[in-house]
Amino acid sequence: MTAYDALLLLSFGGPEGPEDVIPFLENVTRGRNIPRERLEEVGEHYYLFGGVSPINQLCRDLKSAIETDFAAHGMDLPVYWGNRNWTPYLADTVRQMKADGIRRAAAFVTSAYSGFSTNDQYLNDIARAREEVPDGPEIDKLPVYCDRPGFIEPFVDATKDALGRLPEGARLVFTAHSVPLSQPNRELYVAELEQAARTVANSAAPGAPWDLVYQSRSGPPTQPWLEPQITDHLGKLHGEGVRAVAVVPIGFVSDHMEVKYDLDVEAADQAAELGLAFARAATPGTDPRFAALPRHLLGETE
């Protein structure tokens, strides 16, 4: 039994066609005074993939995997899906939940960490959606899960796989989305990233050196963000004589655009230019251990 009568899968959202790209980016950056030319520059990343972000299909697949896990364990709980920045918008999903008679739901977000953009903004979005839907369901965000086996174990296996595709002695490089140094709860975000990376490294390659670096910064050059950026770090490693790198996107739960472009295109291209052997570890995605996480977290609420 659980105290909830539904699970809400809450994610970031992404465009599903070329005509969606700029409106989506405007949603993401609203109120931040990002120049139009910067939006168009980032938009080119999406156009390389037909204007479609992988994230919505990844959410559909994860929703299905969670439903399969629930059914296999006798949990009769409907799973809804809503996004922060694109359809299905969170408020529309909450409106549907209300129409279906849902009174109390638990939210599982596609972000494993504490911090402002990885946790607090989701709480703000939930509060705003509930304001838009009077008498809608109560929604409680499930705890962060960056230390849970369902998140860590798939990364351990993926890291081993990436190392196995490289020459012996490859350097482990963990990556996460950079945030401004001024962002609230930034220290907790970094501490959790370091602990998750350490746990994966110790299991996948005991005693091997590893680094935590950042990617996907989007602010003005004058604003300090978490560093080093992965592209800078690859050059540094090359200068130190490293000849192979296994990149582990520890800050992400699925292979969405920041992984597919910033790592699989940008970082991989730079590694090739430097002559570095390069392998990127998979994210948890729909791994059954990850899909079981909502059930385990719900069990802790009983």
Side-chain angles (χ1 to χ4, degrees):
M1 293 294 292
T2 176
Y4 300 100
D5 51 4
L7 180 80
L8 168 64
L9 176 63
L10 177 52
S11 194
F12 193 80
E16 299 204 82
E19 67 283 356
D20 297 343
V21 171
I22 296 300
F24 162 73
L25 292 173
E26 289 172 340
N27 283 349
V28 173
T29 60
R30 183 166 288 118
R32 290 168 51 191
N33 297 317
I34 303 296
R36 175 75 179 197
E37 55 268 25
R38 175 57 181 161
L39 297 186
E40 292 174 352
E41 178 186 334
V42 174
E44 292 301 322
H45 303 174
Y46 290 90
Y47 297 137
L48 282 176
F49 296 88
V52 178
S53 167
I55 195 168
N56 276 356
Q57 188 57 49
L58 292 167
C59 283
R60 293 184 185 99
D61 295 343
L62 178 58
K63 178 177 180 289
S64 178
I66 293 169
E67 290 168 338
T68 297
D69 177 80
F70 280 1
H73 292 86
M75 184 176 283
D76 184 19
L77 204 67
V79 182
Y80 293 83
W81 164 41
N83 287 327
R84 289 173 52 187
N85 298 296
W86 203 249
T87 55
Y89 287 108
L90 176 57
D92 292 336
T93 300
V94 173
R95 204 169 281 113
Q96 183 62 54
M97 293 165 73
K98 176 185 175 181
D100 292 345
I102 302 301
R103 301 308 306 157
R104 191 177 181 209
F108 179 78
V109 306
T110 56
S111 175
Y113 296 90
S114 302
F116 180 73
S117 57
T118 47
N119 182 74
D120 301 352
Q121 277 192 321
Y122 284 99
L123 293 172
N124 295 342
D125 290 328
I126 289 169
R128 191 159 42 246
R130 294 195 67 234
E131 287 176 4
E132 287 188 38
V133 186
D135 300 318
E138 293 181 37
I139 301 172
D140 299 328
K141 180 184 174 296
L142 291 170
V144 298
Y145 48 82
C146 53
D147 59 344
R148 304 303 175 103
F151 179 72
I152 294 293
E153 290 174 0
F155 267 122
V156 171
D157 290 347
T159 301
K160 290 177 179 177
D161 175 74
L163 288 170
R165 290 181 269 133
L166 293 168
E168 192 171 338
R171 183 74 163 220
L172 269 179
V173 178
F174 293 89
T175 72
H177 205 300
S178 186
V179 300
L181 297 189
S182 60
Q183 189 172 98
N185 290 330
R186 184 257 306 166
E187 296 90 346
L188 181 55
Y189 173 61
V190 172
E192 289 176 346
L193 285 167
E194 288 175 344
Q195 184 55 52
R198 183 177 298 109
T199 302
V200 171
N202 287 345
S203 295
W210 58 272
D211 310 298
L212 174 63
V213 304
Y214 299 94
Q215 60 174 88
S216 313
R217 69 160 290 162
S218 59
T222 54
Q223 184 182 38
W225 283 51
L226 288 172
E227 294 181 338
Q229 289 290 298
I230 184 169
T231 46
D232 295 334
H233 192 67
L234 291 177
K236 178 175 178 288
L237 290 178
H238 178 259
E240 294 172 353
V242 172
R243 292 294 174 260
V245 290
V247 173
V248 185
I250 195 71
F252 303 91
V253 304
S254 63
D255 287 9
H256 51 77
M257 190 58 71
E258 284 81 0
V259 175
K260 298 299 288 183
Y261 181 82
D262 297 349
L263 297 182
D264 293 355
V265 175
E266 199 169 51
D269 284 354
Q270 189 190 19
E273 288 177 14
L274 294 169
L276 287 171
F278 180 96
R280 196 265 293 173
T283 50
T286 56
D287 185 292
R289 293 166 294 184
F290 182 65
L293 252 178
R295 176 171 52 84
H296 292 310
L297 294 172
L298 282 166
E300 296 173 13
T301 68
E302 295 175 3

